[in-house]
Amino acid sequence: MPFRSAPEAGRLGTVAAALLALTALLGVAPAPEPLLGSEIRRIPTEERVLALTFNAAWNETGLDTVLAVLRDRAAPAVFFPTGDFADHHPNALRAVAAAGHGLGNHSYSHPDFTALTPEQARSEVRRADTAIRRASGAEPLPFFRFPYSATSPQAVATVNGLGYADLEFTADTKGYLGPSHGMTADRAVQRALDALTPGAVLQLHVGTGEESGPDTCLDAEALPRIIDGARARGYRIIDLRSLLNR
């Protein structure tokens, strides 16, 4: 998958020229230019590698289990919290940062960015950045994930202009739907393993929302079998932060 679509490539010079000035206001170290210009849904490689990512927008349910599994299996991950989550659960973000995992940006209030003006979109990203820094005490990554994965060329260009690459995902376990929507940990595991492909980026969730029901985090339950199953198929779990060094 190319990082840049043809229509976007022509304007990257303008984006790059303004990037340092814009990100100086935000404070995030800008993503490398090859990561800009289009949404990223897989790592461009033919190696059997898998990147684990977790969205966090509701509460801390399952987070302790996820961090313990990642620690015990020496697997890295990148977490994408919302700013609202950061404000309400600062201890959770400090735990993620202390465990050595990366922190991306998932907006402040989880709106549909295709319905926002560019200025509203920039406000969402900046507010989230401030909240994540304050809560975690760590430097956020220049990775942004759109709520609902609802992207558009304009929205991608807007977050690129703030220094962020758009990091989406190859597949979602759908564990966040919970038992009330017919999901089980077994199904989450199967969805993850069925989606394995070189450079896959897997989306999981911590916390529980209205859809999943109380005290249910199927992705936390499924995670050990996802990691073990991927490795049994010859896949390595890699850190998305490796993209910053390419």
Side-chain angles (χ1 to χ4, degrees):
M1 164 182 165
F3 281 134
R4 289 190 288 247
S5 60
E8 298 289 337
R11 65 185 178 196
L12 276 182
T14 302
V15 172
L19 199 54
L20 290 178
L22 287 169
T23 54
L25 297 174
L26 182 64
V28 69
E33 187 173 323
L35 300 183
L36 307 179
S38 65
E39 59 189 48
I40 299 170
R41 292 192 174 272
R42 62 175 289 270
I43 301 165
T45 182
E46 296 307 314
E47 295 184 50
R48 289 191 174 191
V49 295
L50 169 68
L52 300 174
T53 67
F54 292 85
N55 293 357
W58 301 304
N59 52 51
E60 300 177 51
T61 302
L63 179 61
D64 288 345
T65 298
V66 165
L67 292 179
V69 171
L70 295 174
R71 180 195 65 228
D72 293 344
R73 284 167 169 73
V78 170
F79 289 74
F80 287 85
T82 64
D84 182 71
F85 178 91
D87 279 342
H88 286 89
H89 306 283
N91 290 338
L93 289 201
R94 282 195 288 273
V96 170
H101 302 295
L103 289 167
N105 186 316
H106 196 37
S107 80
Y108 186 85
S109 63
H110 208 274
D112 181 344
F113 269 59
T114 63
L116 301 182
T117 67
E119 187 50 46
Q120 289 172 328
R122 285 189 285 269
S123 176
E124 279 282 334
V125 177
R126 288 176 173 137
R127 286 183 67 201
D129 179 85
T130 298
I132 292 165
R133 288 174 186 275
R134 181 171 56 235
S136 68
E139 176 78 14
L141 299 171
F143 294 159
F144 183 81
R145 175 167 288 165
F146 283 91
Y148 314 107
S149 198
T151 66
S152 70
Q154 176 60 61
V156 172
T158 297
V159 299
N160 283 174
L162 293 173
Y164 283 86
D166 172 21
L167 256 296
E168 299 302 322
F169 51 90
T170 311
D172 189 326
T173 64
K174 299 289 187 180
Y176 70 89
L177 291 175
S180 62
H181 284 71
M183 279 303 298
T184 65
D186 288 343
R187 289 185 178 180
V189 171
Q190 197 59 53
R191 283 182 60 85
L193 298 183
D194 285 349
L196 286 176
T197 189
V201 179
L202 183 63
Q203 176 173 273
L204 305 99
H205 292 76
V206 295
T208 58
E210 293 180 0
E211 294 178 318
S212 59
D215 303 323
T216 302
C217 185
L218 295 180
D219 283 338
E221 184 180 339
L223 183 59
R225 285 182 285 160
I226 291 173
I227 294 174
D228 293 348
R231 286 173 170 166
R233 288 160 174 75
Y235 279 77
R236 293 184 295 113
I237 311 300
I238 65 166
D239 196 326
L240 268 183
R241 286 174 286 192
S242 64
L243 285 173
L244 299 176
N245 301 321
R246 288 174 177 250

PDB file of all heavy atoms in Angstrom, residues 56-88:
ATOM      1  N   ALA A  56      -8.666   3.715  23.413  1.00  0.00           N
ATOM      2  CA  ALA A  56      -9.168   3.892  24.780  1.00  0.00           C
ATOM      3  C   ALA A  56     -10.035   5.140  24.814  1.00  0.00           C
ATOM      4  O   ALA A  56      -9.527   6.251  24.678  1.00  0.00           O
ATOM      5  CB  ALA A  56      -8.012   4.021  25.768  1.00  0.00           C
ATOM      6  N   ALA A  57     -11.339   4.941  24.972  1.00  0.00           N
ATOM      7  CA  ALA A  57     -12.258   6.078  24.984  1.00  0.00           C
ATOM      8  C   ALA A  57     -13.304   6.000  26.079  1.00  0.00           C
ATOM      9  O   ALA A  57     -14.038   6.966  26.290  1.00  0.00           O
ATOM     10  CB  ALA A  57     -12.960   6.207  23.630  1.00  0.00           C
ATOM     11  N   TRP A  58     -13.396   4.865  26.794  1.00  0.00           N
ATOM     12  CA  TRP A  58     -14.475   4.692  27.763  1.00  0.00           C
ATOM     13  C   TRP A  58     -13.947   4.681  29.196  1.00  0.00           C
ATOM     14  O   TRP A  58     -14.047   5.670  29.898  1.00  0.00           O
ATOM     15  CB  TRP A  58     -15.234   3.397  27.454  1.00  0.00           C
ATOM     16  CG  TRP A  58     -15.829   3.378  26.085  1.00  0.00           C
ATOM     17  CD1 TRP A  58     -16.691   4.285  25.553  1.00  0.00           C
ATOM     18  CD2 TRP A  58     -15.585   2.406  25.060  1.00  0.00           C
ATOM     19  NE1 TRP A  58     -17.020   3.945  24.261  1.00  0.00           N
ATOM     20  CE2 TRP A  58     -16.355   2.785  23.932  1.00  0.00           C
ATOM     21  CE3 TRP A  58     -14.796   1.243  24.988  1.00  0.00           C
ATOM     22  CZ2 TRP A  58     -16.358   2.058  22.748  1.00  0.00           C
ATOM     23  CZ3 TRP A  58     -14.803   0.512  23.811  1.00  0.00           C
ATOM     24  CH2 TRP A  58     -15.570   0.923  22.709  1.00  0.00           C
ATOM     25  N   ASN A  59     -13.415   3.556  29.635  1.00  0.00           N
ATOM     26  CA  ASN A  59     -12.914   3.435  31.004  1.00  0.00           C
ATOM     27  C   ASN A  59     -11.713   2.493  31.017  1.00  0.00           C
ATOM     28  O   ASN A  59     -11.203   2.118  29.955  1.00  0.00           O
ATOM     29  CB  ASN A  59     -14.018   2.942  31.945  1.00  0.00           C
ATOM     30  CG  ASN A  59     -14.685   1.665  31.432  1.00  0.00           C
ATOM     31  OD1 ASN A  59     -14.012   0.692  31.099  1.00  0.00           O
ATOM     32  ND2 ASN A  59     -16.010   1.681  31.364  1.00  0.00           N
ATOM     33  N   GLU A  60     -11.248   2.126  32.207  1.00  0.00           N
ATOM     34  CA  GLU A  60     -10.011   1.360  32.335  1.00  0.00           C
ATOM     35  C   GLU A  60     -10.219  -0.152  32.347  1.00  0.00           C
ATOM     36  O   GLU A  60      -9.239  -0.905  32.485  1.00  0.00           O
ATOM     37  CB  GLU A  60      -9.294   1.750  33.632  1.00  0.00           C
ATOM     38  CG  GLU A  60      -8.922   3.211  33.733  1.00  0.00           C
ATOM     39  CD  GLU A  60      -8.278   3.535  35.072  1.00  0.00           C
ATOM     40  OE1 GLU A  60      -7.330   2.832  35.466  1.00  0.00           O
ATOM     41  OE2 GLU A  60      -8.735   4.480  35.730  1.00  0.00           O
ATOM     42  N   THR A  61     -11.430  -0.626  32.192  1.00  0.00           N
ATOM     43  CA  THR A  61     -11.692  -2.064  32.267  1.00  0.00           C
ATOM     44  C   THR A  61     -10.787  -2.829  31.312  1.00  0.00           C
ATOM     45  O   THR A  61     -10.723  -2.513  30.121  1.00  0.00           O
ATOM     46  CB  THR A  61     -13.162  -2.364  31.925  1.00  0.00           C
ATOM     47  OG1 THR A  61     -14.013  -1.640  32.819  1.00  0.00           O
ATOM     48  CG2 THR A  61     -13.453  -3.854  32.032  1.00  0.00           C
ATOM     49  N   GLY A  62     -10.091  -3.827  31.836  1.00  0.00           N
ATOM     50  CA  GLY A  62      -9.233  -4.674  31.016  1.00  0.00           C
ATOM     51  C   GLY A  62      -7.819  -4.170  30.842  1.00  0.00           C
ATOM     52  O   GLY A  62      -6.950  -4.923  30.378  1.00  0.00           O
ATOM     53  N   LEU A  63      -7.546  -2.910  31.208  1.00  0.00           N
ATOM     54  CA  LEU A  63      -6.215  -2.362  30.949  1.00  0.00           C
ATOM     55  C   LEU A  63      -5.130  -3.089  31.737  1.00  0.00           C
ATOM     56  O   LEU A  63      -4.064  -3.400  31.189  1.00  0.00           O
ATOM     57  CB  LEU A  63      -6.178  -0.866  31.268  1.00  0.00           C
ATOM     58  CG  LEU A  63      -4.806  -0.193  31.055  1.00  0.00           C
ATOM     59  CD1 LEU A  63      -4.366  -0.296  29.606  1.00  0.00           C
ATOM     60  CD2 LEU A  63      -4.846   1.265  31.508  1.00  0.00           C
ATOM     61  N   ASP A  64      -5.365  -3.365  33.013  1.00  0.00           N
ATOM     62  CA  ASP A  64      -4.349  -4.068  33.804  1.00  0.00           C
ATOM     63  C   ASP A  64      -4.020  -5.423  33.187  1.00  0.00           C
ATOM     64  O   ASP A  64      -2.844  -5.829  33.131  1.00  0.00           O
ATOM     65  CB  ASP A  64      -4.833  -4.257  35.241  1.00  0.00           C
ATOM     66  CG  ASP A  64      -4.847  -2.958  36.038  1.00  0.00           C
ATOM     67  OD1 ASP A  64      -4.223  -1.981  35.567  1.00  0.00           O
ATOM     68  OD2 ASP A  64      -5.473  -2.930  37.108  1.00  0.00           O
ATOM     69  N   THR A  65      -5.048  -6.122  32.727  1.00  0.00           N
ATOM     70  CA  THR A  65      -4.817  -7.421  32.082  1.00  0.00           C
ATOM     71  C   THR A  65      -4.015  -7.260  30.805  1.00  0.00           C
ATOM     72  O   THR A  65      -3.059  -8.014  30.554  1.00  0.00           O
ATOM     73  CB  THR A  65      -6.160  -8.102  31.771  1.00  0.00           C
ATOM     74  OG1 THR A  65      -6.857  -8.341  32.991  1.00  0.00           O
ATOM     75  CG2 THR A  65      -5.951  -9.419  31.044  1.00  0.00           C
ATOM     76  N   VAL A  66      -4.369  -6.282  29.985  1.00  0.00           N
ATOM     77  CA  VAL A  66      -3.650  -6.046  28.730  1.00  0.00           C
ATOM     78  C   VAL A  66      -2.183  -5.736  28.995  1.00  0.00           C
ATOM     79  O   VAL A  66      -1.285  -6.308  28.346  1.00  0.00           O
ATOM     80  CB  VAL A  66      -4.317  -4.905  27.944  1.00  0.00           C
ATOM     81  CG1 VAL A  66      -3.398  -4.395  26.834  1.00  0.00           C
ATOM     82  CG2 VAL A  66      -5.642  -5.370  27.354  1.00  0.00           C
ATOM     83  N   LEU A  67      -1.914  -4.860  29.942  1.00  0.00           N
ATOM     84  CA  LEU A  67      -0.524  -4.507  30.228  1.00  0.00           C
ATOM     85  C   LEU A  67       0.257  -5.699  30.767  1.00  0.00           C
ATOM     86  O   LEU A  67       1.434  -5.884  30.437  1.00  0.00           O
ATOM     87  CB  LEU A  67      -0.468  -3.336  31.216  1.00  0.00           C
ATOM     88  CG  LEU A  67      -0.973  -1.990  30.685  1.00  0.00           C
ATOM     89  CD1 LEU A  67      -0.892  -0.924  31.774  1.00  0.00           C
ATOM     90  CD2 LEU A  67      -0.178  -1.552  29.450  1.00  0.00           C
ATOM     91  N   ALA A  68      -0.386  -6.532  31.575  1.00  0.00           N
ATOM     92  CA  ALA A  68       0.294  -7.716  32.104  1.00  0.00           C
ATOM     93  C   ALA A  68       0.609  -8.707  30.991  1.00  0.00           C
ATOM     94  O   ALA A  68       1.708  -9.287  30.951  1.00  0.00           O
ATOM     95  CB  ALA A  68      -0.572  -8.378  33.173  1.00  0.00           C
ATOM     96  N   VAL A  69      -0.330  -8.904  30.076  1.00  0.00           N
ATOM     97  CA  VAL A  69      -0.099  -9.830  28.959  1.00  0.00           C
ATOM     98  C   VAL A  69       1.026  -9.317  28.064  1.00  0.00           C
ATOM     99  O   VAL A  69       1.921 -10.079  27.655  1.00  0.00           O
ATOM    100  CB  VAL A  69      -1.389 -10.032  28.145  1.00  0.00           C
ATOM    101  CG1 VAL A  69      -1.106 -10.806  26.859  1.00  0.00           C
ATOM    102  CG2 VAL A  69      -2.436 -10.756  28.972  1.00  0.00           C
ATOM    103  N   LEU A  70       0.999  -8.034  27.740  1.00  0.00           N
ATOM    104  CA  LEU A  70       2.055  -7.455  26.907  1.00  0.00           C
ATOM    105  C   LEU A  70       3.419  -7.586  27.580  1.00  0.00           C
ATOM    106  O   LEU A  70       4.429  -7.898  26.928  1.00  0.00           O
ATOM    107  CB  LEU A  70       1.750  -5.986  26.608  1.00  0.00           C
ATOM    108  CG  LEU A  70       0.503  -5.710  25.762  1.00  0.00           C
ATOM    109  CD1 LEU A  70       0.253  -4.210  25.674  1.00  0.00           C
ATOM    110  CD2 LEU A  70       0.638  -6.312  24.357  1.00  0.00           C
ATOM    111  N   ARG A  71       3.449  -7.375  28.892  1.00  0.00           N
ATOM    112  CA  ARG A  71       4.711  -7.512  29.639  1.00  0.00           C
ATOM    113  C   ARG A  71       5.192  -8.962  29.628  1.00  0.00           C
ATOM    114  O   ARG A  71       6.354  -9.234  29.298  1.00  0.00           O
ATOM    115  CB  ARG A  71       4.512  -7.042  31.073  1.00  0.00           C
ATOM    116  CG  ARG A  71       5.781  -7.142  31.940  1.00  0.00           C
ATOM    117  CD  ARG A  71       5.424  -7.007  33.405  1.00  0.00           C
ATOM    118  NE  ARG A  71       4.603  -8.129  33.861  1.00  0.00           N
ATOM    119  CZ  ARG A  71       3.485  -7.999  34.575  1.00  0.00           C
ATOM    120  NH1 ARG A  71       3.029  -6.799  34.907  1.00  0.00           N
ATOM    121  NH2 ARG A  71       2.804  -9.074  34.937  1.00  0.00           N
ATOM    122  N   ASP A  72       4.319  -9.879  29.965  1.00  0.00           N
ATOM    123  CA  ASP A  72       4.717 -11.280  30.092  1.00  0.00           C
ATOM    124  C   ASP A  72       5.139 -11.880  28.758  1.00  0.00           C
ATOM    125  O   ASP A  72       5.963 -12.799  28.717  1.00  0.00           O
ATOM    126  CB  ASP A  72       3.580 -12.101  30.693  1.00  0.00           C
ATOM    127  CG  ASP A  72       3.280 -11.720  32.135  1.00  0.00           C
ATOM    128  OD1 ASP A  72       4.127 -11.044  32.755  1.00  0.00           O
ATOM    129  OD2 ASP A  72       2.205 -12.093  32.633  1.00  0.00           O
ATOM    130  N   ARG A  73       4.580 -11.375  27.667  1.00  0.00           N
ATOM    131  CA  ARG A  73       4.916 -11.909  26.349  1.00  0.00           C
ATOM    132  C   ARG A  73       5.871 -11.000  25.584  1.00  0.00           C
ATOM    133  O   ARG A  73       6.116 -11.216  24.389  1.00  0.00           O
ATOM    134  CB  ARG A  73       3.634 -12.149  25.538  1.00  0.00           C
ATOM    135  CG  ARG A  73       2.898 -13.416  25.999  1.00  0.00           C
ATOM    136  CD  ARG A  73       1.499 -13.504  25.452  1.00  0.00           C
ATOM    137  NE  ARG A  73       0.891 -14.820  25.684  1.00  0.00           N
ATOM    138  CZ  ARG A  73       0.463 -15.258  26.863  1.00  0.00           C
ATOM    139  NH1 ARG A  73       0.575 -14.478  27.936  1.00  0.00           N
ATOM    140  NH2 ARG A  73      -0.064 -16.468  26.987  1.00  0.00           N
ATOM    141  N   ALA A  74       6.405  -9.992  26.265  1.00  0.00           N
ATOM    142  CA  ALA A  74       7.392  -9.077  25.662  1.00  0.00           C
ATOM    143  C   ALA A  74       6.897  -8.552  24.311  1.00  0.00           C
ATOM    144  O   ALA A  74       7.605  -8.597  23.302  1.00  0.00           O
ATOM    145  CB  ALA A  74       8.744  -9.776  25.509  1.00  0.00           C
ATOM    146  N   ALA A  75       5.660  -8.064  24.307  1.00  0.00           N
ATOM    147  CA  ALA A  75       5.044  -7.559  23.083  1.00  0.00           C
ATOM    148  C   ALA A  75       4.792  -6.057  23.211  1.00  0.00           C
ATOM    149  O   ALA A  75       4.172  -5.619  24.183  1.00  0.00           O
ATOM    150  CB  ALA A  75       3.734  -8.286  22.797  1.00  0.00           C
ATOM    151  N   PRO A  76       5.243  -5.266  22.256  1.00  0.00           N
ATOM    152  CA  PRO A  76       4.981  -3.822  22.295  1.00  0.00           C
ATOM    153  C   PRO A  76       3.607  -3.494  21.729  1.00  0.00           C
ATOM    154  O   PRO A  76       3.011  -4.286  20.986  1.00  0.00           O
ATOM    155  CB  PRO A  76       6.085  -3.255  21.398  1.00  0.00           C
ATOM    156  CG  PRO A  76       6.295  -4.341  20.374  1.00  0.00           C
ATOM    157  CD  PRO A  76       6.087  -5.647  21.115  1.00  0.00           C
ATOM    158  N   ALA A  77       3.108  -2.332  22.064  1.00  0.00           N
ATOM    159  CA  ALA A  77       1.831  -1.864  21.525  1.00  0.00           C
ATOM    160  C   ALA A  77       1.822  -0.345  21.527  1.00  0.00           C
ATOM    161  O   ALA A  77       2.613   0.299  22.226  1.00  0.00           O
ATOM    162  CB  ALA A  77       0.658  -2.401  22.340  1.00  0.00           C
ATOM    163  N   VAL A  78       0.922   0.209  20.748  1.00  0.00           N
ATOM    164  CA  VAL A  78       0.662   1.650  20.770  1.00  0.00           C
ATOM    165  C   VAL A  78      -0.800   1.838  21.154  1.00  0.00           C
ATOM    166  O   VAL A  78      -1.687   1.173  20.608  1.00  0.00           O
ATOM    167  CB  VAL A  78       0.956   2.304  19.406  1.00  0.00           C
ATOM    168  CG1 VAL A  78       0.436   3.748  19.377  1.00  0.00           C
ATOM    169  CG2 VAL A  78       2.452   2.292  19.114  1.00  0.00           C
ATOM    170  N   PHE A  79      -1.040   2.732  22.108  1.00  0.00           N
ATOM    171  CA  PHE A  79      -2.389   3.031  22.591  1.00  0.00           C
ATOM    172  C   PHE A  79      -2.850   4.361  22.019  1.00  0.00           C
ATOM    173  O   PHE A  79      -2.079   5.321  21.959  1.00  0.00           O
ATOM    174  CB  PHE A  79      -2.407   3.079  24.116  1.00  0.00           C
ATOM    175  CG  PHE A  79      -2.245   1.726  24.771  1.00  0.00           C
ATOM    176  CD1 PHE A  79      -1.014   1.089  24.783  1.00  0.00           C
ATOM    177  CD2 PHE A  79      -3.332   1.097  25.366  1.00  0.00           C
ATOM    178  CE1 PHE A  79      -0.865  -0.165  25.378  1.00  0.00           C
ATOM    179  CE2 PHE A  79      -3.190  -0.153  25.965  1.00  0.00           C
ATOM    180  CZ  PHE A  79      -1.957  -0.785  25.969  1.00  0.00           C
ATOM    181  N   PHE A  80      -4.109   4.412  21.629  1.00  0.00           N
ATOM    182  CA  PHE A  80      -4.713   5.630  21.084  1.00  0.00           C
ATOM    183  C   PHE A  80      -5.838   6.089  22.008  1.00  0.00           C
ATOM    184  O   PHE A  80      -7.007   5.734  21.802  1.00  0.00           O
ATOM    185  CB  PHE A  80      -5.248   5.373  19.674  1.00  0.00           C
ATOM    186  CG  PHE A  80      -4.187   5.249  18.619  1.00  0.00           C
ATOM    187  CD1 PHE A  80      -3.569   4.030  18.387  1.00  0.00           C
ATOM    188  CD2 PHE A  80      -3.797   6.345  17.868  1.00  0.00           C
ATOM    189  CE1 PHE A  80      -2.583   3.892  17.419  1.00  0.00           C
ATOM    190  CE2 PHE A  80      -2.813   6.227  16.894  1.00  0.00           C
ATOM    191  CZ  PHE A  80      -2.207   4.996  16.670  1.00  0.00           C
ATOM    192  N   PRO A  81      -5.525   6.862  23.038  1.00  0.00           N
ATOM    193  CA  PRO A  81      -6.573   7.365  23.928  1.00  0.00           C
ATOM    194  C   PRO A  81      -7.183   8.648  23.392  1.00  0.00           C
ATOM    195  O   PRO A  81      -6.557   9.396  22.634  1.00  0.00           O
ATOM    196  CB  PRO A  81      -5.806   7.651  25.223  1.00  0.00           C
ATOM    197  CG  PRO A  81      -4.441   8.061  24.737  1.00  0.00           C
ATOM    198  CD  PRO A  81      -4.177   7.238  23.496  1.00  0.00           C
ATOM    199  N   THR A  82      -8.412   8.900  23.798  1.00  0.00           N
ATOM    200  CA  THR A  82      -8.991  10.218  23.562  1.00  0.00           C
ATOM    201  C   THR A  82      -8.522  11.160  24.670  1.00  0.00           C
ATOM    202  O   THR A  82      -8.103  10.729  25.744  1.00  0.00           O
ATOM    203  CB  THR A  82     -10.528  10.169  23.571  1.00  0.00           C
ATOM    204  OG1 THR A  82     -10.980   9.788  24.883  1.00  0.00           O
ATOM    205  CG2 THR A  82     -11.064   9.214  22.530  1.00  0.00           C
ATOM    206  N   GLY A  83      -8.631  12.451  24.423  1.00  0.00           N
ATOM    207  CA  GLY A  83      -8.293  13.414  25.453  1.00  0.00           C
ATOM    208  C   GLY A  83      -9.234  13.330  26.631  1.00  0.00           C
ATOM    209  O   GLY A  83      -8.824  13.514  27.783  1.00  0.00           O
ATOM    210  N   ASP A  84     -10.506  13.043  26.353  1.00  0.00           N
ATOM    211  CA  ASP A  84     -11.470  12.891  27.429  1.00  0.00           C
ATOM    212  C   ASP A  84     -11.089  11.714  28.335  1.00  0.00           C
ATOM    213  O   ASP A  84     -11.172  11.815  29.563  1.00  0.00           O
ATOM    214  CB  ASP A  84     -12.869  12.680  26.847  1.00  0.00           C
ATOM    215  CG  ASP A  84     -13.932  12.556  27.911  1.00  0.00           C
ATOM    216  OD1 ASP A  84     -14.245  13.560  28.562  1.00  0.00           O
ATOM    217  OD2 ASP A  84     -14.449  11.434  28.103  1.00  0.00           O
ATOM    218  N   PHE A  85     -10.658  10.606  27.739  1.00  0.00           N
ATOM    219  CA  PHE A  85     -10.191   9.472  28.531  1.00  0.00           C
ATOM    220  C   PHE A  85      -8.991   9.890  29.381  1.00  0.00           C
ATOM    221  O   PHE A  85      -8.906   9.551  30.572  1.00  0.00           O
ATOM    222  CB  PHE A  85      -9.796   8.318  27.610  1.00  0.00           C
ATOM    223  CG  PHE A  85      -9.263   7.111  28.323  1.00  0.00           C
ATOM    224  CD1 PHE A  85     -10.109   6.083  28.722  1.00  0.00           C
ATOM    225  CD2 PHE A  85      -7.900   6.985  28.600  1.00  0.00           C
ATOM    226  CE1 PHE A  85      -9.615   4.962  29.390  1.00  0.00           C
ATOM    227  CE2 PHE A  85      -7.399   5.874  29.268  1.00  0.00           C
ATOM    228  CZ  PHE A  85      -8.263   4.866  29.663  1.00  0.00           C
ATOM    229  N   ALA A  86      -8.073  10.630  28.798  1.00  0.00           N
ATOM    230  CA  ALA A  86      -6.890  11.071  29.525  1.00  0.00           C
ATOM    231  C   ALA A  86      -7.264  11.929  30.727  1.00  0.00           C
ATOM    232  O   ALA A  86      -6.706  11.776  31.819  1.00  0.00           O
ATOM    233  CB  ALA A  86      -5.962  11.845  28.598  1.00  0.00           C
ATOM    234  N   ASP A  87      -8.211  12.826  30.546  1.00  0.00           N
ATOM    235  CA  ASP A  87      -8.619  13.691  31.650  1.00  0.00           C
ATOM    236  C   ASP A  87      -9.284  12.916  32.778  1.00  0.00           C
ATOM    237  O   ASP A  87      -9.140  13.267  33.953  1.00  0.00           O
ATOM    238  CB  ASP A  87      -9.584  14.773  31.139  1.00  0.00           C
ATOM    239  CG  ASP A  87      -8.863  15.933  30.472  1.00  0.00           C
ATOM    240  OD1 ASP A  87      -7.636  16.080  30.687  1.00  0.00           O
ATOM    241  OD2 ASP A  87      -9.517  16.695  29.733  1.00  0.00           O
ATOM    242  N   HIS A  88     -10.023  11.872  32.437  1.00  0.00           N
ATOM    243  CA  HIS A  88     -10.762  11.118  33.453  1.00  0.00           C
ATOM    244  C   HIS A  88      -9.978   9.939  34.021  1.00  0.00           C
ATOM    245  O   HIS A  88     -10.316   9.443  35.108  1.00  0.00           O
ATOM    246  CB  HIS A  88     -12.098  10.626  32.886  1.00  0.00           C
ATOM    247  CG  HIS A  88     -13.118  11.706  32.734  1.00  0.00           C
ATOM    248  ND1 HIS A  88     -13.224  12.459  31.581  1.00  0.00           N
ATOM    249  CD2 HIS A  88     -14.072  12.169  33.586  1.00  0.00           C
ATOM    250  CE1 HIS A  88     -14.208  13.346  31.734  1.00  0.00           C
ATOM    251  NE2 HIS A  88     -14.726  13.188  32.938  1.00  0.00           N
TER     252      HIS A  88
END
